[in-house]
Amino acid sequence: QVQLVESGGGLVQAGGSLRLSCAASGRTFTSMGWFRQAPGKEREFVAAIRWSGGSTYYADSVKGRSTISRDNAKNTVYLQMNSLKPEDTAVYSCAAKMRGSYYLAQDYDYWGQGTQVTVSS
């Protein structure tokens, strides 16, 4: 059974940092990504990483402020977010896929339950 379990969300002041974790189990994937969804908005791509080789991909909105990384031994992906802004407030979900685009949620096969990130001004 495939499971993706996120952790690390919380409340932080603007300018602060958070590190999200996503522990995967049940099978291996070619890539994993992070998406977020704010109230009243559509889910949007945040970042993705290719499991083999470690190539990374970022949305323009977080590029330069966030870093996605992986720990192969722990089968865990991390999203380090710095210089957080109130507009980063959303439910962040990790996802895993075997093929397709890094940027499209529809191309991901498995999803975690999500973790809330709230950035206060």
Side-chain angles (χ1 to χ4, degrees), residues 61-67 80-85 88:
S61 58
V62 304
K63 195 175 296 183
R65 300 188 295 122
S66 298
T67 302
Q80 176 69 43
M81 301 187 294
N82 302 320
S83 302
L84 283 162
K85 306 174 182 179
D88 293 318

Side-chain angles (χ1 to χ4, degrees), residues 19-38:
R19 189 177 81 155
L20 306 183
S21 300
C22 177
S25 62
R27 68 167 298 169
T28 58
F29 309 98
T30 58
S31 303
M32 293 185 68
W34 287 94
F35 288 77
R36 67 185 183 185
Q37 187 167 21

Side-chain angles (χ1 to χ4, degrees), residues 2 11 30-31 42 48 94-95 97 101 117:
V2 175
L11 173 64
T30 58
S31 303
E42 292 190 357
C94 74
K97 70 178 188 69
S101 167
V117 171

